[in-house]
Amino acid sequence: MKWLFAAFWNYATFVGRARRREYLGFHVTQLLVLSVCFYIDYHARISSHFQLSDFNITLVWIGLTLLPSIAVTIRRLHDINKSGWWSLVLAVPVAGPILFCLLTLLCGTRGSNRYGYDPRHIFSHNIWN
């Protein structure tokens, strides 16, 4: 469970590294909560046609999680030894999101890299030994 909330604990930390587990845990949780928010907003809407103002809960959730989402994405890119600027590849139509998904699914760099220590090494050892 700690991996699901690690992105919220480090919501504005753009340095360091994030494992795949932290990145995917955050985004799966984000997708589930957004789905619930959208469902509530959709069924509580006042008008019969689509208006952005009808989705208050969804917009509030997106606003609250935008910064942690950006931060965990940048830390995930750092784990594969890429700069956070690689997230701009998402602006390239069709091929950009596919490349970005592949990048985030790669294994992280073993050992330290220029962005910090290996998070697998830090959490895999017992501090009492």
Side-chain angles (χ1 to χ4, degrees):
M1 287 297 287
K2 68 180 178 181
W3 296 109
L4 294 177
F5 300 104
F8 289 107
W9 292 326
N10 299 315
Y11 74 95
T13 304
F14 297 94
V15 295
R17 296 166 60 175
R19 295 178 63 182
R20 278 183 294 192
R21 185 180 298 172
E22 178 183 350
Y23 177 78
L24 292 174
F26 174 79
H27 284 291
V28 167
T29 305
Q30 174 81 342
L31 181 64
L32 292 173
V33 173
L34 271 174
S35 299
V36 170
C37 290
F38 184 79
Y39 179 82
I40 292 169
D41 281 339
Y42 182 77
H43 289 290
R45 67 186 174 151
I46 298 168
S47 63
S48 61
H49 61 282
F50 176 79
Q51 290 182 345
L52 191 59
S53 63
D54 290 337
F55 294 92
N56 294 329
I57 297 172
T58 304
L59 292 174
V60 166
W61 181 254
I62 289 171
L64 289 173
T65 59
L66 183 63
L67 189 60
S69 178
I70 294 169
V72 75
T73 300
I74 289 173
R75 288 195 318 272
R76 178 66 198 131
L77 289 170
H78 287 174
D79 192 40
I80 59 170
N81 210 18
K82 301 278 185 219
S83 168
W85 290 105
W86 272 88
S87 61
L88 295 178
V89 76
L90 288 167
V92 177
V94 182
I98 293 170
L99 175 63
F100 187 76
C101 285
L102 291 174
L103 284 174
T104 59
L105 293 176
L106 291 173
C107 289
T109 307
R110 290 206 178 270
S112 297
N113 67 17
R114 62 184 170 156
Y115 297 105
Y117 297 106
D118 188 352
R120 289 174 294 191
H121 180 70
I122 292 171
F123 293 112
S124 65
H125 289 86
N126 187 348
I127 61 172
W128 303 108
N129 287 338

